[in-house]
Amino acid sequence: MAKQSSQIMDIESIKALLPHRYPFLYIDRVTELIPAERIVAVKNVSADEPFFQGHFPGYAVMPGVLIVEAMAQAGAIMMLSAMEDPGSKIPFFAGMDRVRFRKQVVPGDRLILEVDVTRARRATCKLRGQAVVDGQIAAEAEIMAVLADRV
């Protein structure tokens, strides 16, 4: 059984691992991390998010694809944190399966992203993720990811 890391990551530690930047960085904090096994991360959904300008005016709802993107970014942090030289790799989506949206995510919500590895082989991995708001599942998905060499 793997030992759980006590590491908690703030935004600067996250930016040191992920290539994403505003307005496309959807992870604010990591509260639990077992490299290459499990991560729990947080996205604080602000009314100032740029996507709310068009999705939807007068009825702000976080787009489901961005919730899945947040899960994928959490998974990328988990996988990159297990590497000796994470700066040599860049994470890419390879696919999504069994995606379900169960609850709307709105400004003021705290999105808790729970992602576990279900299979890992060399540079590819399959992840199972859930996005939770106030104890209720807002979205869930199986995500395929690839860690490619940076050019």
Side-chain angles (χ1 to χ4, degrees):
M1 183 166 162
K3 183 178 177 184
Q4 180 172 338
S5 170
S6 62
Q7 180 178 4
I8 307 259
M9 298 176 77
D10 64 9
I11 191 65
E12 294 306 319
S13 300
I14 292 164
K15 286 169 37 180
L17 277 179
L18 281 185
H20 306 76
R21 293 296 179 266
Y22 178 84
F24 212 74
L25 177 59
Y26 296 120
I27 305 295
D28 294 318
R29 177 168 297 279
V30 173
T31 60
E32 181 183 331
L33 175 62
I34 303 172
E37 287 184 34
R38 177 174 171 74
I39 189 168
V40 179
V42 176
K43 164 65 177 152
N44 295 308
V45 182
S46 165
D48 294 335
E49 305 280 356
F51 50 79
F52 285 137
Q53 293 176 25
H55 199 268
F56 301 101
Y59 193 88
V61 177
M62 185 173 182
V65 295
L66 297 183
I67 297 170
V68 177
E69 172 65 25
M71 283 189 259
Q73 287 182 19
I77 292 168
M78 173 182 52
M79 297 310 292
L80 289 168
S81 69
M83 302 185 75
E84 269 187 48
D85 184 15
S88 69
K89 299 290 183 184
I90 188 164
F92 290 107
F93 247 129
M96 297 179 276
D97 292 314
R98 294 185 174 87
V99 179
R100 297 288 180 266
F101 302 104
R102 307 203 181 278
K103 178 182 181 347
Q104 293 177 356
V105 177
V106 298
D109 282 347
R110 186 168 198 232
L111 197 58
I112 307 299
L113 306 154
E114 302 172 0
V115 180
D116 296 287
V117 173
T118 59
R119 187 176 68 226
R121 290 189 184 133
R122 294 187 202 178
T124 64
C125 61
K126 187 169 187 176
L127 311 169
R128 187 179 62 77
Q130 289 186 335
V132 178
V133 174
D134 295 329
Q136 295 182 326
I137 296 173
E140 55 192 345
E142 291 180 359
I143 298 167
M144 293 291 296
V146 175
L147 293 175
D149 291 328
R150 281 188 189 242
V151 180

